[in-house]
């Protein structure tokens, strides 16, 4: 029965480069009955991604592709995703940049989570920027991926209040907690 439910869900690949807390959270979510996705593959652009450990823990295939040659890496990934019949891609702390060419093969099927209230603070060091600018709120966004970094249509956002005592680390922790609520909610919004 479990398998039958799994088959109806969109076969999903999660792309990571780091700790993988969002990956872990998405795997757990994808096992729930009301999840529209099923995490079937973990892709990383580095052997050093700590999140790769979840492959063994949850018995999910992992693949590592070197991005030394972007074009070649994307070609290999694309072929592999097609072979695996992957229908949906979640970027979760993935530090590679995907080209227009790659994205057009999965039009409207690649989403990303970013630790800021986009369009504010695209790119890196989002929490540092929010604190330095004395912002009242920080937060996170889930958006569709386009070739322009952190610029695709926003699906959902969650706000976090910045307290006077907040440091970059404490804010990052608070935002990450919200990310774990936001990512599944945004996926449900797309498919339900
Ligand atoms: C998250 O803050 C995510 O928004 C950003 O990179 C971080 C990844 O964290 N894109 P993790 O690897 O999921 O723990």
């Amino acid at each position: 029965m479990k398998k039958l439910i799994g088959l109806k869900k969109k076969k999903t690949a999660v792309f990571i480069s780091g700790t993988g807390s969002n990956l872990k959270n998405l795997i757990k979510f994808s096992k729930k009955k009301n999840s529209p996705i099923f995490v079937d593959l973990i892709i990383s652009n580095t052997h050093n991604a700590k999140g790769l450990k979840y492959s063994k823990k949850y018995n999910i295939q992992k693949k590592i592709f070197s991005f030394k040659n972007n074009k070649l890496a994307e070609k290999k990934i694309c072929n592999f995703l097609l072979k695996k019949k992957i229908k949906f891609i979640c970027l979760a702390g993935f530090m590679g940049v995907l080209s227009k060419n790659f994205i057009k093969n999965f039009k409207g099927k690649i989403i990303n989570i970013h630790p800021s209230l986009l369009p504010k603070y695209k790119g890196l060091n989002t929490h540092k920027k929010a604190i330095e600018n004395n912002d009242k709120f920080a937060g996170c966004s889930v958006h569709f991926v386009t070739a322009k970094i952190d610029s695709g249509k926003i699906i959902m956002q969650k706000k976090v209040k910045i307290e006077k005592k907040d440091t970059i680390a404490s804010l990052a922790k608070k935002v990450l907690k919200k990310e774990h609520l936001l990512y599944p909610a945004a996926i449900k919004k797309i498919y339900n």
Side-chain angles (χ1 to χ4, degrees):
M1 188 60 192
K2 252 189 181 163
K3 268 209 158 151
L4 268 180
I5 292 166
L7 280 178
K8 284 185 198 156
K9 297 180 178 185
K10 302 254 173 250
K11 281 179 89 134
T12 297
V14 181
F15 286 34
I16 61 164
S17 303
T19 318
S21 71
N22 277 290
L23 164 67
K24 181 184 179 198
N25 183 57
L26 286 178
I27 294 171
K28 284 176 138 181
F29 163 66
S30 88
K31 288 177 183 287
K32 289 186 180 162
K33 214 174 160 184
N34 68 349
S35 162
I37 64 157
F38 187 77
V39 178
D40 219 29
L41 180 64
I42 302 165
I43 300 265
S44 173
N45 60 343
T46 164
H47 285 272
N48 298 328
K50 289 202 179 116
L52 286 169
K53 68 179 180 213
Y54 296 118
S55 160
K56 199 167 178 201
K57 181 161 185 202
Y58 293 103
N59 194 23
I60 297 170
Q61 186 178 10
K62 65 170 187 236
K63 273 270 186 190
I64 298 140
F65 292 93
S66 156
F67 267 65
K68 270 186 192 139
N69 178 336
N70 252 40
K71 222 174 161 182
L72 187 64
E74 287 191 343
K75 202 175 165 195
K76 283 187 184 168
I77 295 175
C78 195
N79 286 339
F80 194 71
L81 296 179
L82 293 175
K83 192 172 125 200
K84 289 275 296 176
K85 298 194 165 41
I86 296 293
K87 300 281 186 257
F88 193 63
I89 297 171
C90 296
L91 308 185
F94 180 65
M95 300 302 282
V97 179
L98 299 172
S99 74
K100 218 176 181 170
N101 213 18
F102 180 89
I103 293 164
K104 83 165 190 262
N105 288 302
F106 295 90
K107 212 167 169 252
K109 304 287 181 226
I110 312 178
I111 64 173
N112 179 43
I113 189 152
H114 183 73
S116 81
L117 293 170
L118 289 171
K120 259 192 164 178
Y121 313 138
K122 295 170 184 173
L124 299 174
N125 303 318
T126 54
H127 306 307
K128 184 170 182 267
K129 288 174 191 162
I131 287 176
E132 279 174 2
N133 287 337
N134 289 316
D135 289 355
K136 286 200 170 69
F137 293 97
C140 44
S141 311
V142 173
H143 64 93
F144 287 105
V145 170
T146 61
K148 240 180 157 189
I149 281 191
D150 302 326
S151 297
K153 189 175 170 231
I154 293 164
I155 301 157
M156 262 179 121
Q157 296 183 306
K158 262 190 195 291
K159 269 187 185 175
V160 171
K161 194 163 172 14
I162 303 179
E163 309 285 348
K164 270 220 166 83
K165 61 175 195 301
D166 267 324
T167 59
I168 295 171
S170 72
L171 184 58
K173 208 171 158 188
K174 285 200 288 193
V175 172
L176 195 61
K177 227 171 149 185
K178 290 278 182 205
E179 289 185 35
H180 297 160
L181 299 173
L182 182 69
Y183 220 162
I187 293 169
K188 277 197 204 160
K189 190 180 170 194
I190 296 171
Y191 283 111
N192 293 345

